[in-house]
Amino acid sequence: MNAYFVAGTDVSVGKTHVICALLRDVMQKGVTAMGCKPVSCGDRKELRAMREAVGRPNLPLDSINPLYLRTMADPRVGAEFEHREVSLDALAGHCHSLAGEYELLLVEGCGGWETPLCPGKTMAALAEKLGLPVLLVVSNRQGAVNHAISAVRAIRACGLECRGIILNQQSEEWDTAAVTNCSMLEEYTGVPVLAELIYGEDVLDASSLLS
C-alpha cells in the first residue's frame, strides 16, 4: 500500500493545496491516485478540490470523506453538537479499504497534529491507528521552524515516521525567514524537505514520494 498521512503544523497551512498539487502530478505520470479526508468540518471544499485534481468531479464525497460535520469547529466539538460518534477503527478501516483501490492515497488530517478528535483523542491518534508514514506541510513563514520541530517530535513520539516536509509558500513576498526556512528545517528536525511549493503553483513534482 503506497499511502501517506498528510499533516500540518497548524490549520490553514495549505494541506489540501499541497495534496492537490501532488495528485495532479502523479495523474500526469499515469499513476492512479486519490486524496481523502476522513474527517471534515464546516464545508467540503477541500474534498471537491481533491476530486477535481484527479478528474473525477462526480465522485461521491462520502467515499473520500466518511465523517462530515457541518459545525465549523474542532471535530470533538462538532461531533458533540451533532450527536455523532467518532470511531477511530471505522475511520482507519475506511482509509485502508480506499488505499487498496489506488496506487497512491494521500490522507489529509483535519487541522493540526493535535486537533481534538473525540474524548481523550486527537488527530494524532487517528494517524497512529493508520500507521502510515507522515508528510508534514509547513507554511513557509516566520515561526515555521519552531512549529515544525514540535510537530516532528510529536509524530515520532507516536512511533511514526515523518517521511519528509513540504514547504508551502502562501505569500508572493519573500522575507528572510522564507529564504532560510528550508535549510533550518532540515538542520533542526533531521527531516528532509522533499519539495517547496511556490506561491501560485498548482502542480508539485511527486517523484521523491513515489521513489
Side-chain angles (χ1 to χ4, degrees), residues 37 46 67 79 110-111 155 157 164 181 192:
K37 190 168 185 175
E46 296 96 343
L67 179 58
C110 183
I155 291 166
N181 277 337

Side-chain angles (χ1 to χ4, degrees), residues 108-190:
E108 180 180 346
C110 183
W113 184 253
E114 297 289 3
T115 293
L117 181 59
C118 56
K121 302 290 184 181
T122 67
M123 284 303 301
L126 177 58
E128 188 173 3
K129 177 74 69 172
L130 287 168
L132 300 174
V134 178
L135 299 175
L136 182 64
V137 177
V138 179
S139 181
N140 195 12
R141 62 194 181 203
Q142 187 175 4
V145 178
N146 173 65
H147 293 315
I149 291 171
S150 297
V152 169
R153 286 175 177 168
I155 291 166
R156 289 170 172 162
C158 290
L160 298 173
E161 175 195 5
C162 187
R163 179 67 56 85
I165 290 170
I166 298 176
L167 262 178
N168 182 32
Q169 180 71 20
Q170 295 182 290
S171 170
E172 292 185 81
E173 297 182 4
W174 287 74
D175 57 16
T176 303
V179 173
T180 59
N181 277 337
C182 181
S183 60
M184 291 296 98
L185 284 167
E186 292 190 327
E187 177 181 346
Y188 281 90
T189 67

